[in-house]
Amino acid sequence: MSESSPCRLGVLVSGSGTNLQVIIDRIESGEINAEIACVVSNKADAYALTRAAKHGIPVVVHENTRFPERRSYDSATVEILRSYKVDLVVLAGFMRILTDAMVDAFPNAIMNIHPALLPSFQGLHAQQQALDYGVRYSGCTVHFVDCGTDTGPIILQSVVPVEQDDTEETLSARIQKAEHQTFTTAIKLFVEGKIQVDGRKVRIKT
Ligand code: GAR
């Protein structure tokens, strides 16, 4: 991306939006040369929408319940993102698996943050899965999205210790701190053209 045309992000959310908030803050501070073109939520009551609106970012409520199946929902999402001329799609707590309708429309340009060290603990309740398994370390993973459940090429990971008395809440809070740093670092690398994908392998240019 050139200095004059910042990378346009389309951020998809379903919930609280703490990751969205950090992305907004790092863009506003000038750390990331990007612009959030739109925030799209599949939940009308997602607090992330309030966060975006406070910063004058266009928001779209795009409820999946209005669509008969995943693919038609995703095709409509692509239309929305295209209308905002989005370069990079950022899944910031977007709790849906994508179909080829989305994945093929943005090849290697959809990033997700997952609250575990993939390929361990894919899918929902990753933090509770880690606790149940008894691992000593978990963390977060930023990866490109393919049509699987948390299976795409890994961009960055951060490790977080699991404490003896952790609950899902305490571990989630510790992981989320790491997410905020890791996700924004990955977005910055993308925006600066420093990410190269070769099959499953992601190379970070220095
Ligand atoms: C984050 O912890 C993210 O890792 C998780 O949802 C949370 C959203 O938090 N995403 C997934 O589990 C996706 N499989 P936020 O709305 O406060 O950014």
Side-chain angles (χ1 to χ4, degrees):
M1 296 297 151
S2 71
E3 286 274 319
S4 52
S5 70
C7 182
R8 292 175 66 79
L9 311 184
V11 185
L12 271 52
V13 297
S14 300
S16 158
T18 65
N19 280 284
L20 169 68
Q21 188 65 56
V22 180
I23 298 165
I24 293 172
D25 294 346
R26 302 251 157 105
I27 289 173
E28 288 188 350
S29 73
E31 203 179 317
I32 299 176
N33 180 29
E35 183 180 334
I36 301 184
C38 60
V39 170
V40 180
S41 176
N42 68 320
K43 302 279 183 196
D45 61 353
Y47 185 65
L49 292 168
T50 306
R51 293 181 192 270
K54 277 186 190 167
H55 291 262
I57 298 166
V59 298
V60 180
V61 175
H62 178 45
E63 287 172 299
N64 51 285
T65 48
R66 292 176 37 244
F67 291 80
E69 33 83 37
R70 286 178 186 279
R71 211 161 182 284
S72 56
Y73 176 77
D74 281 2
S75 297
T77 310
V78 170
E79 292 300 313
I80 293 167
L81 295 169
R82 291 234 192 280
S83 75
Y84 284 95
K85 299 184 168 26
V86 164
D87 301 306
L88 173 66
V89 182
V90 175
L91 307 187
F94 185 64
M95 304 306 280
R96 292 180 60 79
I97 305 302
L98 302 187
T99 64
D100 59 333
M102 266 288 284
V103 172
D104 293 349
F106 294 95
N108 291 330
I110 306 174
M111 267 187 199
N112 182 47
I113 180 88
H114 183 74
L117 293 175
L118 293 172
S120 293
F121 313 130
Q122 298 160 330
L124 293 175
H125 302 292
Q127 303 93 331
Q128 187 61 53
Q129 291 184 55
L131 289 174
D132 292 346
Y133 198 91
V135 293
R136 297 293 188 192
Y137 293 92
S138 189
C140 64
T141 303
V142 182
H143 64 95
F144 285 117
V145 174
D146 61 15
C147 292
T149 304
D150 303 317
T151 50
I154 290 170
I155 304 165
L156 293 177
Q157 294 185 299
S158 294
V159 177
V160 164
V162 178
E163 305 293 350
Q164 211 125 273
D165 299 323
D166 264 337
T167 61
E168 188 175 9
E169 288 70 33
T170 58
L171 179 58
S172 299
R174 197 175 308 117
I175 290 174
Q176 215 163 42
K177 274 193 191 164
E179 288 186 5
H180 295 161
Q181 183 59 47
T182 312
F183 209 8
T184 48
T185 301
I187 292 167
K188 185 174 163 67
L189 288 168
F190 183 96
V191 161
E192 293 175 354
K194 291 184 175 165
I195 296 181
Q196 190 182 317
V197 186
D198 179 13
R200 276 214 59 83
K201 302 263 181 73
V202 173
R203 292 189 73 82
I204 309 287
K205 298 184 210 160
T206 49

